[in-house]
Structure formats: structure tokens, C-alpha cells
Amino acid sequence: MVVLVNDIPGSPRVEFSPTVSVLASVVNSIGVQIRNSLSVFKRIPELLTNKKSTQLPIHQSIEADDEVKKIKNQISSGMTNNAAHLQTYLKTWDTYREIWEINKDSFIRRYQRLKPAVSSFDADIAR
């Protein structure tokens, strides 16, 4: 979602909600959360014999898998590519920047003092 953020008074800007950095953080933290979830699983021989397995724990085996590494790299590069596309999209809003940057009260007062003709007023509204 694109929103107008005015967290610094007098300097509003167009931003995504959630921000690109928050989105990247969420996506990147999912891998850690999956790893933590899988770390509690034990191998069946370990459960049946109550002996420590000599094999890697399941979550480490999955992390070491080449396909999993490949998928993680694809997700990371996809996030980087999307961030570039999102920044390009934000720039499309620059043509409308004067709508939120101009002080509307002073603009209306100045416009009122000019007392424009009806045709000029109509043209300004159309613009």
C-alpha cells in the first residue's frame, strides 16, 4: 500500500506500508523461524533408543541441502529486484508532489488575492 507519511513536520513523502525494509526483514526472518521450529524435531532412532544420533540434526541437514540454499538465494535476489521495482514505482508519484508539498492555506489566500477570471479558474482546476 502506498501512503503519504509526514513523520518529519513540513516534509511529507510517499512511502510503502509496510516499508520495503520491514518487508525484507519479515521475509528474511521466516528462514530463521522455520529453522527454530524444526530444531525441536529428533530423528526416529534417537527417539526409540534414547541415544544421541551421530547424524546431523534435521534442521542442520535441511540448511545444508543445496536445493534449500538455491531457494534461499532466489528469494533474496527476488527481494532485491522487487525493491528496485518498488522504488521506481514510487517515483511515478513525483508528478503529484505539489499536492502534498504546497501549503494549501497560503496558496488559497494568494489565489484569492489574484481574483482570477472564471476561465482561468476553470483551467487551474482542470490542471
Side-chain angles (χ1 to χ4, degrees):
M1 184 167 42
V2 177
V3 295
L4 185 61
V5 178
N6 195 14
D7 53 359
I8 301 170
S11 153
R13 69 187 192 294
V14 177
E15 182 65 68
F16 285 103
S17 178
T19 63
V20 175
S21 60
V22 169
L23 183 61
S25 173
V26 168
V27 170
N28 291 333
S29 72
I30 289 173
V32 174
Q33 292 173 16
I34 291 172
R35 180 188 186 283
N36 291 341
S37 298
L38 293 174
S39 67
V40 298
F41 290 100
K42 297 181 180 180
R43 297 193 176 271
I44 291 177
E46 190 176 323
L47 289 172
L48 296 176
T49 62
N50 287 330
K51 292 182 181 176
K52 190 75 173 161
S53 175
T54 58
Q55 292 181 310
L56 283 176
I58 293 173
H59 67 279
Q60 289 179 351
S61 296
I62 291 172
E63 271 186 335
D65 185 71
D66 288 336
E67 282 298 312
V68 171
K69 289 179 183 178
K70 182 179 164 185
I71 291 169
K72 286 169 95 175
N73 287 336
Q74 288 175 334
I75 291 171
S76 178
S77 69
M79 287 299 295
T80 302
N81 290 338
N82 282 339
H85 291 300
L86 291 172
Q87 292 306 320
T88 301
Y89 174 73
L90 274 184
K91 289 180 182 164
T92 62
W93 290 94
D94 284 347
T95 57
Y96 307 103
R97 183 173 297 280
E98 69 181 35
I99 292 172
W100 61 83
E101 285 185 341
I102 292 176
N103 183 330
K104 280 117 187 107
D105 293 331
S106 65
F107 180 82
I108 295 295
R109 280 192 299 272
R110 187 175 68 238
Y111 200 80
Q112 186 179 15
R113 275 186 258 123
L114 291 174
K115 297 182 183 181
V118 174
S119 60
S120 175
F121 182 73
D122 190 41
D124 289 342
I125 289 175
R127 183 177 49 90

